PDB file of all heavy atoms in Angstrom:
ATOM      1  N   ARG A   1      80.923 108.720  85.137  1.00 97.00           N
ATOM      2  CA  ARG A   1      82.248 108.221  84.741  1.00 97.00           C
ATOM      3  C   ARG A   1      82.777 107.125  85.656  1.00 97.00           C
ATOM      4  O   ARG A   1      83.631 106.332  85.245  1.00 97.00           O
ATOM      5  CB  ARG A   1      83.251 109.377  84.700  1.00 97.00           C
ATOM      6  CG  ARG A   1      83.490 110.056  86.049  1.00 97.00           C
ATOM      7  CD  ARG A   1      84.411 111.258  85.910  1.00 97.00           C
ATOM      8  NE  ARG A   1      84.618 111.968  87.162  1.00 97.00           N
ATOM      9  CZ  ARG A   1      85.514 111.628  88.068  1.00 97.00           C
ATOM     10  NH1 ARG A   1      86.324 110.594  87.845  1.00 97.00           N
ATOM     11  NH2 ARG A   1      85.643 112.322  89.181  1.00 97.00           N
ATOM     12  N   HIS A   2      82.293 107.038  86.884  1.00 97.00           N
ATOM     13  CA  HIS A   2      82.743 105.989  87.795  1.00 97.00           C
ATOM     14  C   HIS A   2      82.140 104.625  87.440  1.00 97.00           C
ATOM     15  O   HIS A   2      82.671 103.593  87.850  1.00 97.00           O
ATOM     16  CB  HIS A   2      82.374 106.330  89.234  1.00 97.00           C
ATOM     17  CG  HIS A   2      83.028 107.569  89.759  1.00 97.00           C
ATOM     18  ND1 HIS A   2      82.446 108.820  89.642  1.00 97.00           N
ATOM     19  CD2 HIS A   2      84.215 107.753  90.391  1.00 97.00           C
ATOM     20  CE1 HIS A   2      83.244 109.722  90.190  1.00 97.00           C
ATOM     21  NE2 HIS A   2      84.321 109.115  90.641  1.00 97.00           N
ATOM     22  N   PHE A   3      81.016 104.630  86.694  1.00 98.00           N
ATOM     23  CA  PHE A   3      80.275 103.397  86.447  1.00 98.00           C
ATOM     24  C   PHE A   3      80.153 103.016  84.972  1.00 98.00           C
ATOM     25  O   PHE A   3      79.954 101.844  84.659  1.00 98.00           O
ATOM     26  CB  PHE A   3      78.862 103.521  87.038  1.00 98.00           C
ATOM     27  CG  PHE A   3      78.836 103.839  88.498  1.00 98.00           C
ATOM     28  CD1 PHE A   3      78.666 105.153  88.926  1.00 98.00           C
ATOM     29  CD2 PHE A   3      78.996 102.848  89.440  1.00 98.00           C
ATOM     30  CE1 PHE A   3      78.643 105.450  90.285  1.00 98.00           C
ATOM     31  CE2 PHE A   3      78.977 103.140  90.791  1.00 98.00           C
ATOM     32  CZ  PHE A   3      78.804 104.438  91.224  1.00 98.00           C
ATOM     33  N   ALA A   4      80.267 103.985  84.076  1.00 97.00           N
ATOM     34  CA  ALA A   4      79.953 103.738  82.669  1.00 97.00           C
ATOM     35  C   ALA A   4      80.837 102.663  82.038  1.00 97.00           C
ATOM     36  O   ALA A   4      80.403 101.967  81.116  1.00 97.00           O
ATOM     37  CB  ALA A   4      80.065 105.043  81.884  1.00 97.00           C
ATOM     38  N   HIS A   5      82.071 102.516  82.518  1.00 96.00           N
ATOM     39  CA  HIS A   5      83.015 101.590  81.894  1.00 96.00           C
ATOM     40  C   HIS A   5      82.991 100.196  82.512  1.00 96.00           C
ATOM     41  O   HIS A   5      83.710  99.300  82.046  1.00 96.00           O
ATOM     42  CB  HIS A   5      84.432 102.148  82.040  1.00 96.00           C
ATOM     43  CG  HIS A   5      84.910 102.157  83.466  1.00 96.00           C
ATOM     44  ND1 HIS A   5      84.452 103.079  84.386  1.00 96.00           N
ATOM     45  CD2 HIS A   5      85.774 101.341  84.133  1.00 96.00           C
ATOM     46  CE1 HIS A   5      85.018 102.833  85.557  1.00 96.00           C
ATOM     47  NE2 HIS A   5      85.823 101.795  85.427  1.00 96.00           N
ATOM     48  N   LEU A   6      82.188  99.990  83.544  1.00 97.00           N
ATOM     49  CA  LEU A   6      82.276  98.748  84.305  1.00 97.00           C
ATOM     50  C   LEU A   6      81.709  97.546  83.551  1.00 97.00           C
ATOM     51  O   LEU A   6      80.736  97.658  82.804  1.00 97.00           O
ATOM     52  CB  LEU A   6      81.533  98.901  85.639  1.00 97.00           C
ATOM     53  CG  LEU A   6      82.138  99.907  86.619  1.00 97.00           C
ATOM     54  CD1 LEU A   6      81.271 100.023  87.867  1.00 97.00           C
ATOM     55  CD2 LEU A   6      83.571  99.516  86.997  1.00 97.00           C
ATOM     56  N   GLY A   7      82.328  96.396  83.789  1.00 96.00           N
ATOM     57  CA  GLY A   7      81.931  95.167  83.130  1.00 96.00           C
ATOM     58  C   GLY A   7      80.822  94.433  83.848  1.00 96.00           C
ATOM     59  O   GLY A   7      80.072  95.000  84.650  1.00 96.00           O
ATOM     60  N   ILE A   8      80.741  93.122  83.605  1.00 96.00           N
ATOM     61  CA  ILE A   8      79.655  92.303  84.111  1.00 96.00           C
ATOM     62  C   ILE A   8      79.822  92.035  85.605  1.00 96.00           C
ATOM     63  O   ILE A   8      80.935  91.940  86.120  1.00 96.00           O
ATOM     64  CB  ILE A   8      79.592  90.967  83.326  1.00 96.00           C
ATOM     65  CG1 ILE A   8      78.301  90.218  83.629  1.00 96.00           C
ATOM     66  CG2 ILE A   8      80.821  90.096  83.632  1.00 96.00           C
ATOM     67  CD1 ILE A   8      78.089  89.001  82.743  1.00 96.00           C
ATOM     68  N   GLU A   9      78.691  91.901  86.294  1.00 97.00           N
ATOM     69  CA  GLU A   9      78.701  91.479  87.690  1.00 97.00           C
ATOM     70  C   GLU A   9      78.925  89.964  87.731  1.00 97.00           C
ATOM     71  O   GLU A   9      78.179  89.204  87.101  1.00 97.00           O
ATOM     72  CB  GLU A   9      77.364  91.826  88.366  1.00 97.00           C
ATOM     73  CG  GLU A   9      77.169  93.301  88.640  1.00 97.00           C
ATOM     74  CD  GLU A   9      77.969  93.774  89.842  1.00 97.00           C
ATOM     75  OE1 GLU A   9      78.375  92.927  90.663  1.00 97.00           O
ATOM     76  OE2 GLU A   9      78.192  94.991  89.961  1.00 97.00           O
ATOM     77  N   PRO A  10      79.925  89.491  88.481  1.00 96.00           N
ATOM     78  CA  PRO A  10      80.244  88.061  88.461  1.00 96.00           C
ATOM     79  C   PRO A  10      79.168  87.170  89.080  1.00 96.00           C
ATOM     80  O   PRO A  10      79.151  85.961  88.826  1.00 96.00           O
ATOM     81  CB  PRO A  10      81.549  87.984  89.260  1.00 96.00           C
ATOM     82  CG  PRO A  10      81.559  89.213  90.093  1.00 96.00           C
ATOM     83  CD  PRO A  10      80.866  90.269  89.294  1.00 96.00           C
ATOM     84  N   LEU A  11      78.266  87.726  89.873  1.00 96.00           N
ATOM     85  CA  LEU A  11      77.201  86.934  90.477  1.00 96.00           C
ATOM     86  C   LEU A  11      75.901  87.010  89.682  1.00 96.00           C
ATOM     87  O   LEU A  11      74.880  86.468  90.110  1.00 96.00           O
ATOM     88  CB  LEU A  11      76.954  87.393  91.915  1.00 96.00           C
ATOM     89  CG  LEU A  11      78.140  87.226  92.869  1.00 96.00           C
ATOM     90  CD1 LEU A  11      77.782  87.722  94.268  1.00 96.00           C
ATOM     91  CD2 LEU A  11      78.598  85.775  92.935  1.00 96.00           C
ATOM     92  N   SER A  12      75.930  87.651  88.529  1.00 96.00           N
ATOM     93  CA  SER A  12      74.729  87.789  87.705  1.00 96.00           C
ATOM     94  C   SER A  12      74.463  86.511  86.918  1.00 96.00           C
ATOM     95  O   SER A  12      75.344  85.661  86.730  1.00 96.00           O
ATOM     96  CB  SER A  12      74.878  88.962  86.745  1.00 96.00           C
ATOM     97  OG  SER A  12      75.906  88.691  85.798  1.00 96.00           O
ATOM     98  N   ASP A  13      73.237  86.380  86.428  1.00 94.00           N
ATOM     99  CA  ASP A  13      72.873  85.212  85.621  1.00 94.00           C
ATOM    100  C   ASP A  13      73.624  85.189  84.297  1.00 94.00           C
ATOM    101  O   ASP A  13      73.840  84.116  83.715  1.00 94.00           O
ATOM    102  CB  ASP A  13      71.364  85.219  85.349  1.00 94.00           C
ATOM    103  CG  ASP A  13      70.538  84.982  86.608  1.00 94.00           C
ATOM    104  OD1 ASP A  13      71.093  84.415  87.571  1.00 94.00           O
ATOM    105  OD2 ASP A  13      69.353  85.368  86.621  1.00 94.00           O
ATOM    106  N   GLU A  14      74.022  86.361  83.813  1.00 94.00           N
ATOM    107  CA  GLU A  14      74.709  86.440  82.521  1.00 94.00           C
ATOM    108  C   GLU A  14      76.139  85.924  82.581  1.00 94.00           C
ATOM    109  O   GLU A  14      76.731  85.582  81.558  1.00 94.00           O
ATOM    110  CB  GLU A  14      74.720  87.888  82.015  1.00 94.00           C
ATOM    111  CG  GLU A  14      73.356  88.440  81.643  1.00 94.00           C
ATOM    112  CD  GLU A  14      72.513  88.820  82.856  1.00 94.00           C
ATOM    113  OE1 GLU A  14      73.095  88.986  83.943  1.00 94.00           O
ATOM    114  OE2 GLU A  14      71.290  88.929  82.704  1.00 94.00           O
ATOM    115  N   MET A  15      76.686  85.861  83.783  1.00 96.00           N
ATOM    116  CA  MET A  15      78.075  85.414  83.948  1.00 96.00           C
ATOM    117  C   MET A  15      78.172  83.905  83.691  1.00 96.00           C
ATOM    118  O   MET A  15      77.485  83.106  84.321  1.00 96.00           O
ATOM    119  CB  MET A  15      78.528  85.734  85.379  1.00 96.00           C
ATOM    120  CG  MET A  15      79.879  85.168  85.738  1.00 96.00           C
ATOM    121  SD  MET A  15      81.200  86.000  84.845  1.00 96.00           S
ATOM    122  CE  MET A  15      82.600  85.374  85.763  1.00 96.00           C
ATOM    123  N   SER A  16      79.012  83.531  82.747  1.00 97.00           N
ATOM    124  CA  SER A  16      79.171  82.115  82.397  1.00 97.00           C
ATOM    125  C   SER A  16      80.529  81.903  81.756  1.00 97.00           C
ATOM    126  O   SER A  16      81.220  82.863  81.385  1.00 97.00           O
ATOM    127  CB  SER A  16      78.072  81.677  81.414  1.00 97.00           C
ATOM    128  OG  SER A  16      78.235  82.347  80.174  1.00 97.00           O
ATOM    129  N   GLY A  17      80.882  80.636  81.589  1.00 97.00           N
ATOM    130  CA  GLY A  17      82.118  80.323  80.903  1.00 97.00           C
ATOM    131  C   GLY A  17      82.109  80.821  79.473  1.00 97.00           C
ATOM    132  O   GLY A  17      83.117  81.332  78.966  1.00 97.00           O
ATOM    133  N   GLY A  18      80.967  80.677  78.809  1.00 97.00           N
ATOM    134  CA  GLY A  18      80.863  81.144  77.431  1.00 97.00           C
ATOM    135  C   GLY A  18      81.019  82.654  77.321  1.00 97.00           C
ATOM    136  O   GLY A  18      81.646  83.154  76.374  1.00 97.00           O
ATOM    137  N   PHE A  19      80.490  83.376  78.290  1.00 96.00           N
ATOM    138  CA  PHE A  19      80.617  84.828  78.290  1.00 96.00           C
ATOM    139  C   PHE A  19      82.085  85.227  78.416  1.00 96.00           C
ATOM    140  O   PHE A  19      82.577  86.071  77.668  1.00 96.00           O
ATOM    141  CB  PHE A  19      79.807  85.411  79.448  1.00 96.00           C
ATOM    142  CG  PHE A  19      79.835  86.902  79.527  1.00 96.00           C
ATOM    143  CD1 PHE A  19      78.898  87.660  78.846  1.00 96.00           C
ATOM    144  CD2 PHE A  19      80.795  87.562  80.279  1.00 96.00           C
ATOM    145  CE1 PHE A  19      78.923  89.050  78.907  1.00 96.00           C
ATOM    146  CE2 PHE A  19      80.830  88.943  80.351  1.00 96.00           C
ATOM    147  CZ  PHE A  19      79.891  89.688  79.662  1.00 96.00           C
ATOM    148  N   LEU A  20      82.805  84.599  79.348  1.00 97.00           N
ATOM    149  CA  LEU A  20      84.226  84.907  79.528  1.00 97.00           C
ATOM    150  C   LEU A  20      85.022  84.528  78.286  1.00 97.00           C
ATOM    151  O   LEU A  20      85.912  85.262  77.853  1.00 97.00           O
ATOM    152  CB  LEU A  20      84.765  84.179  80.753  1.00 97.00           C
ATOM    153  CG  LEU A  20      84.234  84.620  82.120  1.00 97.00           C
ATOM    154  CD1 LEU A  20      84.828  83.742  83.223  1.00 97.00           C
ATOM    155  CD2 LEU A  20      84.555  86.087  82.383  1.00 97.00           C
ATOM    156  N   ARG A  21      84.711  83.375  77.743  1.00 96.00           N
ATOM    157  CA  ARG A  21      85.440  82.897  76.562  1.00 96.00           C
ATOM    158  C   ARG A  21      85.275  83.853  75.389  1.00 96.00           C
ATOM    159  O   ARG A  21      86.241  84.157  74.673  1.00 96.00           O
ATOM    160  CB  ARG A  21      84.935  81.513  76.187  1.00 96.00           C
ATOM    161  CG  ARG A  21      85.655  80.835  75.028  1.00 96.00           C
ATOM    162  CD  ARG A  21      85.255  79.373  74.941  1.00 96.00           C
ATOM    163  NE  ARG A  21      85.876  78.721  73.798  1.00 96.00           N
ATOM    164  CZ  ARG A  21      85.298  78.580  72.606  1.00 96.00           C
ATOM    165  NH1 ARG A  21      84.070  79.051  72.409  1.00 96.00           N
ATOM    166  NH2 ARG A  21      85.922  77.971  71.622  1.00 96.00           N
ATOM    167  N   ASN A  22      84.067  84.370  75.193  1.00 96.00           N
ATOM    168  CA  ASN A  22      83.830  85.311  74.097  1.00 96.00           C
ATOM    169  C   ASN A  22      84.618  86.606  74.299  1.00 96.00           C
ATOM    170  O   ASN A  22      85.172  87.164  73.351  1.00 96.00           O
ATOM    171  CB  ASN A  22      82.339  85.614  73.984  1.00 96.00           C
ATOM    172  CG  ASN A  22      81.560  84.468  73.367  1.00 96.00           C
ATOM    173  OD1 ASN A  22      82.117  83.645  72.629  1.00 96.00           O
ATOM    174  ND2 ASN A  22      80.271  84.392  73.657  1.00 96.00           N
ATOM    175  N   LEU A  23      84.669  87.091  75.536  1.00 94.00           N
ATOM    176  CA  LEU A  23      85.408  88.320  75.813  1.00 94.00           C
ATOM    177  C   LEU A  23      86.918  88.123  75.661  1.00 94.00           C
ATOM    178  O   LEU A  23      87.648  89.078  75.424  1.00 94.00           O
ATOM    179  CB  LEU A  23      85.098  88.818  77.227  1.00 94.00           C
ATOM    180  CG  LEU A  23      83.731  89.459  77.435  1.00 94.00           C
ATOM    181  CD1 LEU A  23      83.575  89.911  78.875  1.00 94.00           C
ATOM    182  CD2 LEU A  23      83.537  90.647  76.501  1.00 94.00           C
ATOM    183  N   ALA A  24      87.369  86.878  75.834  1.00 96.00           N
ATOM    184  CA  ALA A  24      88.803  86.604  75.759  1.00 96.00           C
ATOM    185  C   ALA A  24      89.302  86.418  74.332  1.00 96.00           C
ATOM    186  O   ALA A  24      90.516  86.353  74.107  1.00 96.00           O
ATOM    187  CB  ALA A  24      89.122  85.352  76.574  1.00 96.00           C
ATOM    188  N   LYS A  25      88.403  86.341  73.376  1.00 93.00           N
ATOM    189  CA  LYS A  25      88.815  86.152  71.981  1.00 93.00           C
ATOM    190  C   LYS A  25      89.721  87.289  71.543  1.00 93.00           C
ATOM    191  O   LYS A  25      89.467  88.447  71.831  1.00 93.00           O
ATOM    192  CB  LYS A  25      87.587  86.079  71.080  1.00 93.00           C
ATOM    193  CG  LYS A  25      86.798  84.785  71.221  1.00 93.00           C
ATOM    194  CD  LYS A  25      85.588  84.782  70.300  1.00 93.00           C
ATOM    195  CE  LYS A  25      84.813  83.477  70.417  1.00 93.00           C
ATOM    196  NZ  LYS A  25      83.588  83.483  69.561  1.00 93.00           N
ATOM    197  N   SER A  26      90.768  86.938  70.860  1.00 85.00           N
ATOM    198  CA  SER A  26      91.776  87.863  70.321  1.00 85.00           C
ATOM    199  C   SER A  26      92.657  88.475  71.406  1.00 85.00           C
ATOM    200  O   SER A  26      93.454  89.370  71.144  1.00 85.00           O
ATOM    201  CB  SER A  26      91.127  88.982  69.497  1.00 85.00           C
ATOM    202  OG  SER A  26      90.516  89.957  70.330  1.00 85.00           O
ATOM    203  N   ARG A  27      92.541  88.015  72.661  1.00 90.00           N
ATOM    204  CA  ARG A  27      93.418  88.492  73.729  1.00 90.00           C
ATOM    205  C   ARG A  27      94.529  87.478  73.965  1.00 90.00           C
ATOM    206  O   ARG A  27      94.401  86.303  73.651  1.00 90.00           O
ATOM    207  CB  ARG A  27      92.633  88.727  75.019  1.00 90.00           C
ATOM    208  CG  ARG A  27      91.598  89.851  74.916  1.00 90.00           C
ATOM    209  CD  ARG A  27      90.792  89.969  76.196  1.00 90.00           C
ATOM    210  NE  ARG A  27      89.775  91.007  76.121  1.00 90.00           N
ATOM    211  CZ  ARG A  27      89.897  92.231  76.613  1.00 90.00           C
ATOM    212  NH1 ARG A  27      91.019  92.553  77.254  1.00 90.00           N
ATOM    213  NH2 ARG A  27      88.930  93.118  76.494  1.00 90.00           N
ATOM    214  N   ARG A  28      95.615  87.949  74.610  1.00 89.00           N
ATOM    215  CA  ARG A  28      96.756  87.069  74.855  1.00 89.00           C
ATOM    216  C   ARG A  28      97.317  87.191  76.270  1.00 89.00           C
ATOM    217  O   ARG A  28      98.283  86.542  76.597  1.00 89.00           O
ATOM    218  CB  ARG A  28      97.887  87.389  73.850  1.00 89.00           C
ATOM    219  CG  ARG A  28      97.549  87.070  72.399  1.00 89.00           C
ATOM    220  CD  ARG A  28      97.472  85.579  72.176  1.00 89.00           C
ATOM    221  NE  ARG A  28      97.230  85.250  70.776  1.00 89.00           N
ATOM    222  CZ  ARG A  28      96.031  85.160  70.227  1.00 89.00           C
ATOM    223  NH1 ARG A  28      94.946  85.398  70.955  1.00 89.00           N
ATOM    224  NH2 ARG A  28      95.880  84.847  68.955  1.00 89.00           N
TER     225      ARG A  28
END
C-alpha cells in the first residue's frame, strides 16, 4: 500500500513533456 499508488519517477526515461501533458488532460 505504500508503493502501489505511486506515479512516475521524474528521472526515468519515460518522463517527458508529452507524458505530463497527457496526464494533465481534463484537469484544471
Side-chain angles (χ1 to χ4, degrees):
R1 63 184 177 84
H2 297 90
F3 303 97
H5 68 285
L6 294 177
I8 192 172
E9 287 283 341
L11 298 180
S12 66
D13 292 338
E14 293 76 19
M15 173 69 168
S16 66
F19 181 89
L20 293 177
R21 184 168 177 265
N22 285 336
L23 286 181
K25 288 180 179 178
S26 76
R27 295 176 181 261
R28 294 290 183 273

